[in-house]
Amino acid sequence: IPDSVTKLGVGAFSHCSNLIGSLHLPNSITEIGSYAFEYCSNLESLLLSENMKIIGKSSFSHCSNLNGSLHIPTTVTKVGMNSFEYCTNLTSLTLDCKIETVFWGSFSHCSNLRGSLHIPETVTEIGSFAFEYCDNLTSLVLNENVRFIGHGSFSHCSNLRASLHIPESVTVVSSNAFENCLSFTSLIIDTEGE
């Protein structure tokens, strides 16, 4: 992709299942449209532009061979609904971005994500099913600014271990938010003044 390109439109490379190997998006690109690389099931690695601002809805959903680490850079302000759902071979996720909301299903069914998940300080809302079936994550760190945890947002994350700490900033923990998180051994819910 040449440096003259600043935006990839809706469905630009959707269902290009014979695209193989690495995708390196140049720093000129600031926005990836919805469904841009959906079902590009043979892409193996992704390097996002360091100037990226918007990752559209379902832009990389069902890219089932994307593997290794995914780094969302600091410039990103929006990661759309279902943007990386069913990227089943990703093994680590670093959210350095400045998003306020992790939208519905953004990373659902990323079943090989491992280790610790740190929710960035800018995030105030975790949408429904955002991380459901990320069943190899082993720990979760919620920031002190999260206010809303959506329906089923961490459901079936069965290897999340040890303590779950809900900070006092949280006002809503929705139904089934932590359903089938079988490995938690304790729950700490902060209250005002503690």
Side-chain angles (χ1 to χ4, degrees):
I1 298 175
D3 287 343
S4 56
V5 176
T6 59
K7 178 182 177 180
L8 297 174
V10 172
F13 300 97
S14 176
H15 293 265
C16 290
S17 57
N18 284 322
L19 284 176
I20 297 171
S22 297
L23 176 62
H24 179 188
L25 296 176
N27 287 336
S28 59
I29 294 179
T30 60
E31 182 174 348
I32 301 171
S34 297
Y35 314 106
F37 294 95
E38 178 186 44
Y39 286 99
C40 289
S41 54
N42 282 305
L43 284 176
E44 294 173 358
S45 67
L46 172 64
L47 182 60
L48 293 171
S49 156
E50 287 299 320
N51 295 313
M52 187 68 62
K53 292 181 179 161
I54 297 171
I55 299 171
K57 174 174 66 174
S58 296
S59 50
F60 294 95
S61 73
H62 297 271
C63 290
S64 54
N65 274 321
L66 276 180
N67 60 67
S69 299
L70 176 63
H71 175 245
I72 309 289
T74 57
T75 53
V76 172
T77 56
K78 180 178 181 182
V79 178
M81 283 176 22
N82 305 113
S83 47
F84 293 94
E85 70 171 344
Y86 288 98
C87 289
T88 53
N89 280 308
L90 287 174
T91 56
S92 73
L93 173 64
T94 304
L95 295 170
D96 281 337
C97 49
K98 294 183 171 80
I99 58 174
E100 292 181 8
T101 301
V102 180
F103 284 101
W104 177 296
S106 293
F107 300 96
S108 71
H109 295 268
C110 290
S111 54
N112 272 310
L113 285 178
R114 299 178 185 286
S116 187
L117 175 63
H118 292 263
I119 302 299
E121 291 298 316
T122 54
V123 171
T124 58
E125 181 174 338
I126 301 170
S128 296
F129 311 111
F131 296 96
E132 74 163 342
Y133 286 101
C134 291
D135 49 3
N136 278 303
L137 288 173
T138 54
S139 69
L140 171 64
V141 179
L142 297 171
N143 74 59
E144 298 291 330
N145 298 310
V146 171
R147 294 193 306 263
F148 179 88
I149 300 172
H151 174 80
S153 53
F154 296 96
S155 64
H156 304 281
C157 292
S158 56
N159 279 307
L160 286 174
R161 299 184 184 127
S163 291
L164 172 60
H165 178 210
I166 307 286
E168 72 176 79
S169 58
V170 174
T171 58
V172 176
V173 177
S174 300
S175 58
N176 306 100
F178 295 96
E179 177 186 20
N180 284 326
C181 290
L182 304 173
S183 298
F184 280 133
T185 56
S186 67
L187 173 63
I188 301 165
I189 301 176
D190 283 349
T191 57
E192 194 172 342
E194 290 188 357

